[in-house]
Amino acid sequence: MLAVLCVVAGALLVVSVWLSVMRTIIVPHASSSRIARASVAVTVGSATRITRWLPPKAALWMLDLAAPLALFTIVIYWLVAIMAGFGLVLFGLGDRGQTVGFAFAWHGPTTAVLVLGAISVSLVLVAFGAHLVRLTEAYSRRERLVNSLAARASTPLDADQLLADHLRGGSRDNLDLLFRSWLDWVADVHATHVGYPVLVYYRSACRLAWVEAAVIVMDAAALVTTLAPKWAPPHARVLLDGGSACIRDLAERAGVRLPVGTNTVSLHGREERAFGDTVLMAVRAGLPEERNRSQAWDIFQAERTRYAPYAAQLGARLQYDRVAVARGRSLLRLSSRRNPQSISWDDLDGSVE
C-alpha cells in the first residue's frame, strides 16, 4: 500500500511541476502559474521589507537583485520537486538504492523512470533558458521607448513640454504617431507583465522609471483630450483607456489598493505647476482651446485619477524613490570630488524616506 501511494504521489508531483512549467512558460495567458506568483511575492516582498532598514545604495543593490532571485527560485523549486517526484516513484517501485542522486540502474522498470527523470530535468532547464530569453526580449521592448523619452523628460511636469514640442515641431498626425507608439507599448507591457509577473519588478535601466514614463505620455494625451476633444488625435483617447487599464491592473496585482471614492483630485508629480500655466503653454504651442479652463480642470482630473494614483502607489511599492536618492547621492559624491565647494550633502536631507 505504501509503495502504491509513493508511486502515485511521485507521479502527481511530476505532473504538477510540468503543469506549472507549461503555465509559466508556454501558455501564461491572462495569468502566470501559482508558483511563479508566489515566488515573486515572497522573494520581492522579503527584499522590499529588508531594504527599508538599509541605506539607499545598499537598498538599490538588493532591489536590483530581487527579481532575478525570484526567477531562480522558480527553477530551483521545479528541479527539486521533479527530482523528489521521480525519487518517490523509484522508492515505490522498491529500488530504494536508486532514490539518491538518480544513479543509473540497468535492470527492472527503474531504468525507464531514471531516463524519464533525466529527460524531464533537461527539458526544465531548456524551458527555463527559453523563459529567460522571452523575459529579456520583453524587458528590452519596455525599456526602448522609456530610454528614448528619458532624453527629454524625467517628471510628470515634463508632459507639458513634451506636448508643446510636438505641437510646435509637427502636425496633428505626428502627435497621433507618438500616442500610437505608446499605445502599442502599453499593450505589450500589459500582456507581458501579467503573463510574467516578475517583469513588474525588473527595474528600469535609466533614471526614468517605466511607470513614470507611462504617466508622462498619458498626461500629454489627457491634456489634449481635455482641452481640445474635437481636435485630439484618435489614438489619444485609446491610449488613456488602455494605459489606465494597464497601470491599474498591474498595480492591483502588485498589492496596491486605493480607498474607494477618495481620489477625486490627482496632483501626483504636478504639485509645482498650476493648471493654468499648463494650459497656457499648450495653447501658445498651437493646441486649440475648445473648453474653458474650469471645465477642463475637472475633466483633466477625472482622467488623471484613473491612472496617476495607481502609478504613484506602484512606484512607491517598487521603491523608485529610494533609487532616485541612491543615484542622487552618487552624483553628489562625484560632483563633490571634482569641486568640493560646489555642493552640499544637505541638499538631500529629508529625501531618504
Side-chain angles (χ1 to χ4, degrees):
M1 185 62 179
L2 178 61
V4 174
L5 289 176
C6 287
V7 172
V8 172
L12 289 176
L13 185 56
V14 171
V15 170
S16 68
V17 170
W18 273 109
L19 289 175
S20 175
V21 171
M22 289 188 291
R23 187 61 183 269
T24 302
I25 297 176
I26 302 175
V27 284
H29 291 306
S31 63
S32 186
S33 65
R34 291 182 180 179
I35 180 59
R37 298 195 300 271
S39 175
V40 170
V42 172
T43 306
V44 177
S46 300
T48 301
R49 293 185 183 92
I50 294 173
T51 54
R52 298 186 185 280
W53 302 95
L54 297 177
K57 187 175 182 180
L60 173 59
W61 178 78
M62 179 163 286
L63 290 170
D64 287 340
L65 290 179
L69 283 175
L71 270 181
F72 284 99
T73 300
I74 297 173
V75 72
I76 290 172
Y77 165 80
W78 286 338
L79 293 176
V80 170
I82 207 166
M83 288 189 290
F86 280 105
L88 284 173
V89 173
L90 288 174
F91 186 87
L93 292 176
D95 203 343
R96 293 162 176 74
Q98 305 303 326
T99 59
V100 179
F102 287 110
F104 280 97
W106 301 101
H107 57 85
T110 57
T111 300
V113 175
L114 289 169
V115 170
L116 286 175
I119 292 175
S120 293
V121 169
S122 300
L123 289 177
V124 166
L125 292 174
V126 171
F128 181 70
H131 187 50
L132 287 179
V133 171
R134 290 183 180 181
L135 285 173
T136 302
E137 291 175 349
Y139 176 78
S140 298
R141 292 196 302 270
R142 188 190 79 182
E143 294 299 301
R144 190 175 298 116
L145 270 183
V146 174
N147 287 333
S148 177
L149 182 63
R152 60 171 66 182
S154 59
T155 69
L157 289 177
D158 294 325
D160 304 356
Q161 190 61 50
L162 177 69
L163 176 59
D165 290 343
H166 276 79
L167 289 171
R168 295 191 192 99
S171 62
R172 177 175 176 270
D173 292 337
N174 189 31
L175 187 61
D176 190 50
L177 183 61
L178 170 71
F179 294 148
R180 180 179 179 179
S181 63
W182 279 92
L183 174 62
D184 294 338
W185 179 89
V186 163
D188 184 59
V189 166
H190 198 185
T192 55
H193 288 50
V194 169
Y196 308 124
V198 72
L199 274 175
V200 175
Y201 301 93
Y202 263 76
R203 312 190 70 77
S204 294
C206 64
R207 60 188 175 84
L208 180 63
W210 63 273
V211 288
E212 296 171 340
V215 170
I216 291 172
V217 179
M218 290 175 66
D219 274 357
L223 288 170
V224 172
T225 57
T226 294
L227 294 172
K230 296 180 181 179
W231 180 90
H235 286 96
R237 166 52 54 191
V238 186
L239 172 61
L240 284 174
D241 294 338
S244 298
C246 171
I247 292 178
R248 181 167 183 166
D249 188 24
L250 295 181
E252 290 178 347
R253 289 174 183 269
V256 172
R257 296 291 184 271
L258 299 181
V260 178
T262 59
N263 297 297
T264 58
V265 175
S266 172
L267 295 177
H268 303 85
R270 301 189 63 89
E271 297 88 351
E272 298 179 5
R273 182 172 300 163
F275 183 70
D277 295 335
T278 295
V279 173
L280 184 61
M281 180 184 297
V283 171
R284 285 179 175 176
L287 183 68
E289 190 173 4
E290 299 175 1
R291 287 194 175 110
N292 63 67
R293 297 185 184 183
S294 177
Q295 183 184 18
W297 164 256
D298 293 336
I299 296 176
F300 178 71
Q301 286 302 315
E303 293 288 355
R304 200 167 195 265
T305 51
R306 297 168 59 200
Y307 59 87
Y310 293 95
Q313 290 298 317
L314 181 58
R317 178 63 60 91
L318 300 177
Q319 296 198 32
Y320 280 121
D321 54 340
R322 301 294 297 274
V323 176
V325 170
R327 290 174 176 167
R329 285 188 178 275
S330 298
L331 181 60
L332 287 172
R333 186 178 293 109
L334 178 62
S335 300
S336 63
R337 288 175 182 173
R338 295 177 177 176
N339 186 3
Q341 303 300 322
S342 65
I343 199 163
S344 170
W345 287 98
D346 294 335
D347 293 337
L348 285 180
D349 284 349
S351 61
V352 175
E353 297 299 333

